[in-house]
Amino acid sequence: MKRIEGVSQNKAGPVGRVVLRMARRKTRQIAGAETERMIEPLEAYAHLPRLMLGYGALEDATARQHRVDARLKVLAELKAATLTQCEYCIDIGSHIAARAGITEDQLLALPRYRESDLFGDLEKLVLDYAVGMSSTPVAVSDDLFTRLREHFDDPQIVELTNIIAVENMRGRFNLALGIGSSGFREGLVCAVPDRAPDQNGVLAAASGAAEGAGGSSAAA
């Protein structure tokens, strides 16, 4: 349940109305569909119009970066979403991933990606980075970073790091305010919530959720 009510488009000020209208159109373009709750996070930001503008600028700048392969970014972003366990992020992220060619089997295999033959070596490396960045404290080793440098230049690493960091921010913001699923994957397969490795490096996946997900949406 939402803990605060966002500012709807018809109740926002002139600037807020423009930003919310643009956000709805942009989200529809990215997700390929529209739901009633699809811009609830931005409606929460609309309580502080200046902050909403700054956040919107960050999201827009992030979306305009194309140095890293889009599929890799989608996987990293969705993995980070599963680790924050944000229903909104998992729901819309799974929908965007499906549009990018990520299969239902791959969505459900994310908690066990290291052992799965559904992901290539580079995909697993990027997923490792998403896990390391999404851990508390951050667990990005020198070895992991060296392996990243074998495939990505500095601007690409910054782009990949930014998308994972932004996804962590989104998830924590939404969870704190009780913002739930946006409804994109209702009745469809979603990625499942996960957990980052514990201090011994053992992946503590949400196995119960994974086993019970079957062919239904885990986030809807």
Side-chain angles (χ1 to χ4, degrees), residues 119-139:
F119 302 99
D121 291 341
L122 183 55
E123 291 173 334
K124 290 181 179 181
L125 175 61
V126 168
L127 289 168
D128 282 344
Y129 192 45
V131 171
M133 279 192 61
S134 302
S135 301
T136 302
V138 171

Side-chain angles (χ1 to χ4, degrees), residues 21 28-29 32 36 50 53 57 79 84-85 103 110 124 129-130 134 149-150 155 161 176 182 208 220:
R21 182 168 60 251
R28 183 170 59 246
Q29 291 172 351
E36 182 180 350
R50 181 169 294 185
L53 287 173
K79 184 61 179 177
T84 64
Q85 303 189 12
T103 67
L110 274 176
K124 290 181 179 181
Y129 192 45
S134 302
R149 282 196 178 279
E150 294 174 359
T161 302
S182 49

Side-chain angles (χ1 to χ4, degrees), residues 43-174:
E43 289 174 344
Y45 273 109
H47 283 286
L48 299 172
R50 181 169 294 185
L51 183 58
M52 177 179 64
L53 287 173
Y55 173 71
L58 172 62
E59 287 283 7
D60 183 64
T62 296
R64 291 177 183 273
Q65 305 307 308
H66 301 294
R67 291 175 176 83
V68 178
D69 179 76
R71 179 186 173 90
L72 293 176
K73 289 196 296 182
V74 163
L75 281 173
E77 193 173 9
L78 182 56
K79 184 61 179 177
T82 66
L83 294 171
T84 64
Q85 303 189 12
C86 167
E87 289 186 358
Y88 177 94
C89 301
I90 292 173
D91 176 62
I92 191 172
S94 295
H95 200 67
I96 293 170
R99 296 191 76 216
I102 307 301
T103 67
E104 292 182 351
D105 287 342
Q106 288 173 317
L107 290 177
L108 295 176
L110 274 176
R112 301 171 302 280
Y113 71 90
R114 287 190 182 93
E115 294 77 35
S116 174
D117 59 2
L118 297 175
F119 302 99
D121 291 341
L122 183 55
E123 291 173 334
K124 290 181 179 181
L125 175 61
V126 168
L127 289 168
D128 282 344
Y129 192 45
V131 171
M133 279 192 61
S134 302
S135 301
T136 302
V138 171
V140 177
S141 67
D142 289 342
D143 175 69
L144 173 56
F145 206 82
T146 297
R147 288 188 286 128
L148 283 171
R149 282 196 178 279
E150 294 174 359
H151 300 276
F152 303 106
D153 60 24
D154 286 356
Q156 289 175 315
I157 290 177
V158 171
E159 180 178 347
L160 184 60
T161 302
N162 177 70
I163 194 65
I164 297 169
V166 168
E167 183 54 48
N168 272 271
M169 181 182 74
R170 293 172 185 146
R172 295 174 190 277
F173 181 89
N174 294 340

